[in-house]
Amino acid sequence: MPRPMLYLLGIVLLLILIAALFPLYLSLKTPDIVDRPIRFGPERKALTLAYMKERYGIDANDTTITPRIIVVHHTATKTADEAFRAFDPERLPASRGDIAGVSALNVSAHFLVDRDGTIYRLMPETTMARHVIGLNWCAIGIENVGGANGADDLTKAQLKADAELVFYLATKYPTIKYLIGHYEYRKFENSPLWKEKDSTYRTEKHDPSERFMKDLRKLVHNLRAEP
């Protein structure tokens, strides 16, 4: 075989090897996580417990969850600070009239991934956050800064950070079996994970985009996308 062909074959084999080993690298790498907690005082705790009871029929004394699914979002904001200010209040602002009638509990998520790939932990992974209808009682939420005005603009740095974070969480919590984009949440309506009692409470979601989830699943393929 001519030397140029051997050289080209070697490059192809090297690329195949890198692609095969990359998931192993992610599974062994602990991502850098910066703690930036949102407020979770007595009011938010009381609102969370009320949400669990009224929406899901879970009469609990604390807000602890057992994670079973990871839900990926985008913030529809341009900056992490803007997203943090939206999640930080304990009560839902008046501007969220679309979901205010359901509960006064503000929306939030467990992680916020900035556009440069910096991962912020907003709240403990085993505390319930309001970020996805029907599944909050068992879902970890990852918000990615971006998607303002419907743009499909999440970055490669965010993709890498999300993959590392998902591997980390799935390793830490073996109960996690599913990974979905927010727009896919209704696939679980008839599954054992679905607990929303109001059949009319649904919102249409498009985040974080089919393109982003397709790319993420190329890196993270050991979690299911539907029940």
Side-chain angles (χ1 to χ4, degrees):
M1 183 179 295
R3 182 172 296 179
M5 291 295 293
L6 287 172
Y7 179 72
L8 180 60
L9 179 60
I11 292 176
V12 171
L13 291 174
L14 179 60
L15 291 174
I16 292 173
L17 180 62
I18 291 173
L21 292 178
F22 190 65
L24 177 61
Y25 159 77
L26 289 176
S27 67
L28 296 175
K29 186 179 186 301
T30 300
D32 294 324
I33 298 174
V34 180
D35 284 308
R36 188 181 181 183
I38 58 174
R39 283 178 282 178
F40 206 103
E43 183 176 30
R44 197 173 210 143
K45 179 179 179 180
L47 289 170
T48 301
L49 291 174
Y51 192 103
M52 294 169 74
K53 184 175 182 178
E54 294 165 8
R55 312 312 309 173
Y56 302 148
I58 299 175
D59 193 0
N61 295 318
D62 61 58
T63 58
T64 301
I65 68 169
T66 299
R68 302 183 188 280
I69 185 170
I70 296 171
V71 184
V72 181
H73 308 255
H74 69 216
T75 63
T77 66
K78 294 183 178 180
T79 69
D81 287 342
E82 186 182 352
F84 184 87
R85 289 193 297 270
F87 297 140
D88 190 42
E90 298 187 318
R91 297 184 70 89
L92 195 70
S95 60
R96 292 304 307 269
D98 56 329
I99 58 174
V102 173
S103 171
L105 175 65
N106 194 17
V107 295
S108 59
H110 300 86
F111 295 93
L112 177 65
V113 181
D114 208 345
R115 298 189 64 75
D116 64 356
T118 301
I119 301 171
Y120 297 101
R121 179 162 34 214
L122 305 183
M123 55 191 297
E125 298 124 38
T126 54
T127 296
M128 198 195 91
R130 182 184 185 183
H131 61 100
V132 56
I133 294 171
L135 303 169
N136 290 310
W137 70 280
C138 65
I140 291 178
I142 300 174
E143 289 277 1
N144 291 274
V145 178
N149 300 314
D152 181 8
D153 62 354
L154 298 188
T155 67
K156 291 182 179 179
Q158 287 174 308
L159 177 64
K160 180 176 180 293
D162 277 32
E164 291 179 0
L165 183 55
V166 168
F167 266 108
Y168 164 75
L169 293 170
T171 301
K172 185 175 182 180
Y173 302 104
T175 50
I176 294 175
K177 305 298 182 185
Y178 304 97
L179 170 68
I180 64 169
H182 195 186
Y183 68 92
E184 299 174 296
Y185 81 100
R186 295 193 66 172
K187 293 180 180 180
F188 285 79
E189 284 190 51
N190 296 314
S191 79
L193 295 190
W194 187 267
K195 287 192 178 295
E196 174 55 48
K197 296 194 296 182
D198 184 352
S199 62
T200 66
Y201 177 41
R202 306 289 188 272
T203 56
E204 185 176 355
K205 297 297 179 180
H206 302 283
D207 60 308
S209 85
E210 292 185 21
R211 186 269 312 173
F212 187 81
M213 289 307 299
K214 181 179 179 180
D215 289 344
L216 182 57
R217 288 189 171 114
K218 289 178 182 177
L219 302 176
V220 184
H221 47 72
N222 60 332
L223 295 175
R224 295 161 58 186
E226 54 188 71

